[in-house]
Amino acid sequence: MALSRALGPRPAAAPGRPRPAAVTRTGRTLAPYGFLAPFFVLFTAFGLYPLLYTAYVSLHRVELQTSQQMDWLGLQNYVRLFQDPYFWNALRNTFTIGVLSTVPQLLMALGLAHLLNYRLRGRTFFRVAMLMPYATSVAAATLVFAQLFGHDYGLINWLLHQAGLDPVDWQANTVASQIGVSTVVTWRWTGYNALIYLAGMQAIPMELYESAAIDGATRLQQFRHVTVPGLRPTIVFTVIVSTIGATQLFGEPLMYEGNSGGGVSHQYQTLGLYMYQQGWTFFHLGRAAAVAWVMFLLIVVLALLNAAVAARRNRTDR
Amino acid sequence: MALVDSRPAPPVVPSRPATRRARRRRSTLQGGPLAYGVLAAATVLSVLPFYWTLVAASRTNAELSSATPALTPGPNLFHNIAAALQQADIGTALWNSLIVSTTVTAGVVLSSTLAGFAFAKLRFRGRRLLLAVTVGTMMIPPQLGVIPLFMIIVRLGLQDRLPAVILPALVSAFGVFFMRQYLVQALPDELVEAGRVDGASYTRIFASIVLPVARPAMAVLGMLTFMATWNDFFWPIVALSSQNPTVQVALHSLGEGYVPDQSIIMAGTLVGTLPVLLVFVLLGRQIVGGIMQGAVKG
């Protein structure tokens, strides 16, 4: 490997002057590749290659038990996919759960970041506390929330009861169960996004606030006209990343009741979960690959859409 | 490519360490009671589910299925943990997760520092292209490659064995980019040049110049990688069975209803979360700093 060649001969103990030629030229030329080799060998084998190969798999019949055997199908996996009402159901759910989780998550994060940016006692404590959900896994968080959202003995319905309200069926009801799933996502990621926003806010020059204050802008106006525009690149970044996260949502709906159907009537089955069900519950790896590819195209479209909106807003501002 | 259940941290842009002065200058707005009130409420909401896990894990199933739920911890914590360890094989799972997380962390930190150094400071043919490929794939969800990856693992006969979750995660495109961004800033060209003039090999330069400079970023990357690997869900579920689980796989089988007792499920959840929570409580400040440092600075 190049790395060993990069070692080159050790510089001979030439008395007096240093010898730049001690390390051979070839060693110098090849050394960079040696440094890259560990990363790129594994990256190519387990990252890039599978990424590209998915498209090829999606054009074949491949079953889980006999995954070495591939029969050419052309676009048939896709045709079947588009004829399957559960696929459209999953697509719709991915969208609604995505909106239900991403929008409140980012809005709350923005507000919290603004508050964290104040001069506060115990600032570090608040930051660490708010990031704590980030330290839990999807599985753990969802198990806990599934219990909190329990119909008969869940803490949330108990609280509703104390407040004199009727219990909500957080499992079977479509909207309620989607809110339940979204809550897990929101809980885990709000603090993380708040910190990203906070970092962005700290890069906004203080002078802008000062001159806004001199012009008589209230705090709210300062937030609207100084903070939010200054944060635009950060906001675009979090929107894109959260959108990608929402498109792939898998663990939360899987663990919410513990099956790959996404609820008795698939009321919160997402595309990610649908793909897992096709591949590892129904054993159709080829069809699952087609779902993966659709998810990818969806992400590309959403990312481009985000970028276009961001570009347009930038233009109108100027 | 790390198949890790975490969102990519944002592009690291020249991380000028926030100096004390700059920080003071930043926060001239004094927080009022309202700010404290809202932040306190948000803190409670962030921490409450942890508290409730502890409550539920230390009660009996009967107590949890009563009309008035228990709101304080009970006496059954250790009994429930013992039951969880036995029923879902959480003991094996903890050990497996520890092996996987430490190996992956070491691999990611090392491979990222090596490649990050090359991208940051060395000139070679194909540099731009390779970097573009690395960064470009960061935005592509790992789930897209899961099916062929699964087929590779089956072909290698690694299904249900730990290397199946270790091997694909040993390198991370994000890690490489993170280290590159850090080293571009933190490692002066003159330092590398001086080493070169003195006739040191690149390996020597790496060991005695790059590594010491990179240490803070390696620590941050290590912490984030450990947490993400410990919490990784999708790929372990696909590659491992409940016979040889990581903690997340074991929690999944708890959730599937293999164990009907809610208090035992919560005890398992607690045990599975505790190690990473411990890391977090000890290093929380640095983790917060690391995430904020990785942010886009507008």
Side-chain angles (χ1 to χ4, degrees):
Chain A
M1 269 182 65
L3 192 61
S4 59
R5 239 182 281 178
L7 281 164
R10 295 259 316 169
R17 69 198 158 90
R19 290 181 46 197
V23 179
T24 61
R25 274 194 81 81
T26 24
R28 285 267 196 249
T29 323
L30 291 178
Y33 301 105
F35 284 102
L36 294 176
F39 171 71
F40 269 102
V41 168
L42 287 167
F43 183 64
T44 308
F46 296 111
L48 277 183
Y49 166 74
L51 227 46
L52 300 174
Y53 199 63
T54 303
Y56 183 72
V57 174
S58 77
L59 302 175
H60 291 78
R61 180 198 307 279
V62 190
E63 300 295 302
L64 183 76
Q65 303 89 333
T66 53
S67 64
Q68 315 298 332
Q69 192 194 332
M70 296 171 66
D71 303 320
W72 176 257
L73 279 184
L75 291 174
Q76 215 174 304
N77 279 329
Y78 291 90
V79 172
R80 286 201 58 146
L81 199 62
F82 296 140
Q83 286 170 348
D84 183 356
Y86 290 126
F87 164 76
W88 296 105
N89 173 61
L91 187 64
R92 205 167 42 240
N93 289 344
T94 305
F95 179 76
T96 49
I97 295 176
V99 171
L100 281 173
S101 58
T102 308
V103 174
Q105 178 195 135
L106 294 182
L107 287 179
M108 289 192 315
L110 199 56
L112 287 175
H114 181 66
L115 294 180
L116 285 171
N117 203 21
Y118 282 178
R119 195 167 355 135
L120 295 165
R121 272 170 197 285
R123 205 170 36 175
T124 310
F125 166 77
F126 285 126
R127 288 179 189 176
V128 172
M130 244 156 264
L131 194 63
M132 248 168 81
Y134 173 80
T136 55
S137 65
V138 183
T142 314
L143 280 179
V144 176
F145 273 90
Q147 272 210 307
L148 291 172
F149 279 118
H151 184 267
D152 292 329
Y153 307 113
L155 211 57
I156 291 169
N157 272 352
W158 180 76
L159 284 172
L160 288 178
H161 179 72
Q162 299 302 306
L165 299 168
D166 286 335
V168 173
D169 193 339
W170 298 104
Q171 258 96 41
N173 181 297
T174 304
V175 178
S177 62
Q178 293 199 356
I179 290 176
V181 171
S182 306
T183 305
V184 187
V185 184
T186 306
W187 181 73
R188 280 187 69 220
W189 292 105
T190 300
Y192 171 87
N193 282 305
L195 288 185
I196 303 289
Y197 286 145
L198 180 59
M201 283 177 187
Q202 300 199 333
I204 299 173
M206 211 58 220
E207 296 77 50
L208 288 181
Y209 288 101
E210 279 159 15
S211 59
I214 291 169
D215 290 345
T218 63
R219 273 194 185 182
L220 196 65
Q221 285 171 324
Q222 290 180 18
F223 179 72
R224 268 209 55 188
H225 298 290
V226 180
T227 309
V228 172
L231 272 185
R232 174 144 309 141
T234 319
I235 293 176
V236 171
F237 171 81
T238 54
V239 168
I240 292 180
V241 170
S242 307
T243 308
I244 294 179
T247 314
Q248 316 178 57
L249 216 58
F250 162 75
E252 292 87 349
L254 176 67
M255 295 294 295
Y256 195 63
E257 276 182 277
N259 66 65
S260 62
V264 276
S265 53
H266 304 258
Q267 68 270 28
Y268 52 87
Q269 185 176 41
T270 56
L271 275 182
L273 196 52
Y274 178 78
M275 168 183 141
Y276 177 76
Q277 191 186 30
Q278 289 296 325
W280 285 275
T281 309
F282 300 152
F283 312 133
H284 303 313
L285 286 183
R287 248 180 264 169
V291 182
W293 202 242
V294 170
M295 280 169 65
F296 175 62
L297 291 179
L298 195 67
I299 286 171
V300 171
V301 168
L302 287 172
L304 289 177
L305 215 64
N306 274 323
V309 169
R312 232 193 56 174
R313 294 215 49 179
N314 254 343
R315 256 204 312 281
T316 50
D317 279 1
R318 275 168 198 169
Chain B
M1 166 144 215
L3 280 160
V4 152
D5 167 53
S6 80
R7 303 186 184 188
V12 196
V13 168
S15 51
R16 200 173 344 112
T19 62
R20 193 167 274 279
R21 214 176 73 82
R23 227 182 262 159
R24 204 183 306 136
R25 197 171 52 95
R26 277 305 142 236
S27 349
T28 48
L29 297 170
Q30 179 69 50
L34 186 66
Y36 281 104
V38 175
L39 287 175
T43 303
V44 168
L45 284 179
S46 298
V47 178
L48 206 60
F50 294 105
Y51 173 73
W52 197 78
T53 311
L54 180 67
V55 172
S58 60
R59 294 281 174 169
T60 63
N61 201 35
E63 285 171 311
L64 293 181
S65 337
S66 75
T68 43
L71 297 175
T72 51
N76 291 323
L77 182 62
F78 294 105
H79 171 264
N80 289 340
I81 288 179
L85 288 176
Q86 201 190 3
Q87 289 187 31
D89 212 356
I90 298 230
T92 313
L94 280 171
W95 180 242
N96 282 347
S97 277
L98 190 67
I99 294 175
V100 171
S101 299
T102 44
T103 319
V104 166
T105 302
V108 165
V109 170
L110 185 66
S111 64
S112 302
T113 312
L114 284 166
F117 165 58
F119 278 132
K121 296 290 161 180
L122 304 180
R123 303 279 166 271
F124 54 91
R125 213 178 263 276
R127 176 165 173 262
R128 274 164 183 280
L129 178 72
L130 290 177
L131 187 62
V133 169
T134 309
V135 174
T137 51
M138 270 165 56
M139 282 312 233
I140 302 178
Q143 281 185 17
L144 186 62
V146 150
I147 290 137
L149 186 56
F150 179 75
M151 291 158 71
I152 295 174
I153 292 299
V154 169
R155 189 166 303 182
L156 294 175
L158 293 175
Q159 201 188 355
D160 210 16
R161 294 174 49 200
L162 292 188
V165 281
I166 294 174
L167 271 176
L170 278 177
V171 296
S172 139
F174 162 70
V176 171
F177 188 63
F178 181 88
M179 289 311 300
R180 185 201 102 99
Q181 295 303 87
Y182 181 83
L183 286 174
V184 162
Q185 277 274 313
L187 181 65
D189 286 340
E190 295 79 36
L191 223 54
V192 181
E193 204 43 51
R196 218 186 311 226
V197 169
D198 285 347
S201 67
Y202 276 131
T203 320
R204 183 80 197 278
I205 292 174
F206 183 79
S208 21
I209 299 174
V210 181
L211 276 186
V213 172
R215 196 165 297 149
M218 289 168 81
V220 168
L221 182 61
M223 285 183 307
L224 295 179
T225 307
F226 186 89
M227 287 173 62
T229 314
W230 185 276
N231 287 335
D232 192 14
F233 187 66
F234 188 45
W235 178 242
I237 291 280
V238 167
L240 301 178
S241 72
S242 51
Q243 302 307 308
N244 188 31
T246 59
V247 163
Q248 307 309 326
V249 179
L251 289 182
H252 174 234
S253 46
L254 278 179
E256 266 183 330
Y258 291 174
V259 180
D261 190 325
Q262 291 291 325
S263 59
I264 294 178
I265 293 179
M266 284 298 108
T269 310
L270 187 70
V271 171
T273 314
L274 222 48
V276 79
L277 214 56
L278 210 65
V279 171
F280 196 81
V281 168
L282 292 176
L283 302 169
R285 187 190 278 263
Q286 283 87 330
I287 294 172
V288 167
I291 284 178
M292 284 185 50
Q293 207 180 55
V296 190
K297 297 206 174 160

